[in-house]
Amino acid sequence: MKATSASTAMISPSNMMSLGFSGALGNIDAYISAVNRLPMLTHEEEISLAKRLRDDNDLGAAQKLVLSHLRLVVSIARGYLGYGLPHADLIQEGNIGLMKAVKRFDPDQGVRLVSYSMHWIKAEMHEYILKNWRLVKVATTKAQRKLFFNLRSHKTGLDAMTPDQVEALAKTLNVKREEVIEMETRLSGRDIALEAPTDDEDDKFAPIAYLSSDSQEPTRVLESQRYDRLQTEGLSSALGKLDPRSRRIVEARWLANDDGSGATLHELANEFGVSAERIRQIETVALKKMKGSLAAFA
């Protein structure tokens, strides 16, 4: 299990041995067996120890309060084993929550420590689960966190929830049905490496192979912007500098149809009453003039 300075101070091996632990605590089963043998406190003992901690900052009293409730942490942690995280780590996080509860416990409120500490224990476990269940955090807001834990407990199998189940859960938790559907989608997914871990044929199926896009690459963006400007402002400006006959010839030859099948030289020759060669010469001069005008937009 993970160790913290607070847990080391309160639950050191020597202290545990002196309060009922026996044998080696090298695995989780031995630890659970040991904490279940620790004596439970009576209500009067609990109140007395809590007052000593509050009034005199008696760490020995705090230690006894923590140790007598370790079995509660084990019991709560067992309910979160379905998330696939180590049982020992869940217990350790719960122990931290228990120590926070003991520190804040007020014996004059008339509430037993076992009831008061459950919130703190679960809060620490929930935080640990949300941080470690996936690489990408699936729940960030308070509503999402509540939905995350309730949704898992309401699902009875691996199949998707029916519309009626979604509607019922949304009403129970007072959230929108769309939020239930979104959270279920997050829970049904899994972490996938962006790049394949090997160099074999599986590389082509890694997300990097089909999610990559060059459309937002800076040089491509600049090229696209320049092309759009040439097609609009540049072309309009270049055509505006031609005489009417030259403009008519260029538009008929190159801009009449999207597929490039414009008018022929002979068709324009008949229209203007000149030879086809004369039309070609006018076209050549006009295109050179347009090229010079378009250079300013390149």
Side-chain angles (χ1 to χ4, degrees), residues 34-200:
V35 298
N36 284 334
R37 291 197 303 269
L38 285 172
M40 299 180 67
L41 299 175
T42 65
H43 191 194
E44 292 73 18
E45 290 173 331
E46 181 181 296
I47 296 298
S48 175
L49 291 170
K51 288 183 177 180
R52 283 166 50 189
L53 173 61
R54 183 194 62 187
D55 300 336
D56 305 324
N57 196 28
D58 187 341
L59 294 183
Q63 175 183 287
K64 291 181 180 180
L65 288 170
V66 170
L67 292 175
S68 64
H69 288 78
L70 290 179
R71 69 179 68 201
L72 172 64
V73 177
V74 171
S75 176
I76 295 175
R78 194 174 295 115
Y80 293 100
L81 291 178
Y83 293 94
L85 298 172
H87 192 189
D89 285 352
L90 287 169
I91 292 174
Q92 181 60 60
E93 295 298 327
N95 287 344
I96 294 173
L98 173 60
M99 287 184 283
K100 290 181 178 180
V102 168
K103 182 179 180 180
R104 294 166 174 80
F105 181 60
D106 185 355
D108 294 332
Q109 293 297 319
V111 179
R112 292 297 300 266
L113 179 58
V114 64
S115 300
Y116 178 78
S117 60
M118 287 183 68
H119 164 77
W120 294 92
I121 295 170
K122 289 183 177 180
E124 291 296 324
M125 290 185 184
H126 287 182
E127 189 65 28
Y128 169 74
I129 291 170
L130 290 173
K131 285 182 178 179
N132 295 276
W133 190 66
R134 291 278 175 81
L135 291 176
V136 179
K137 204 168 185 180
V138 296
T140 54
T141 66
K142 183 177 180 180
Q144 288 177 342
R145 291 159 67 98
K146 181 179 179 181
L147 185 56
F148 172 84
F149 289 102
N150 279 278
L151 184 59
R152 284 186 61 89
S153 63
H154 278 74
K155 290 195 67 171
T156 56
L158 298 178
D159 296 335
M161 298 180 69
T162 64
D164 290 340
Q165 290 175 326
V166 170
E167 192 69 33
L169 183 58
K171 289 182 178 179
T172 301
L173 300 180
N174 194 27
V175 297
K176 297 179 180 178
R177 62 186 311 274
E178 291 78 11
E179 294 176 345
V180 177
I181 296 173
E182 180 184 356
M183 183 56 67
E184 185 183 24
T185 302
R186 294 185 185 185
L187 292 176
S188 61
R190 60 185 180 89
D191 293 326
I192 301 176
L194 185 62
E195 297 180 349
T198 60
D199 296 327
D200 56 20

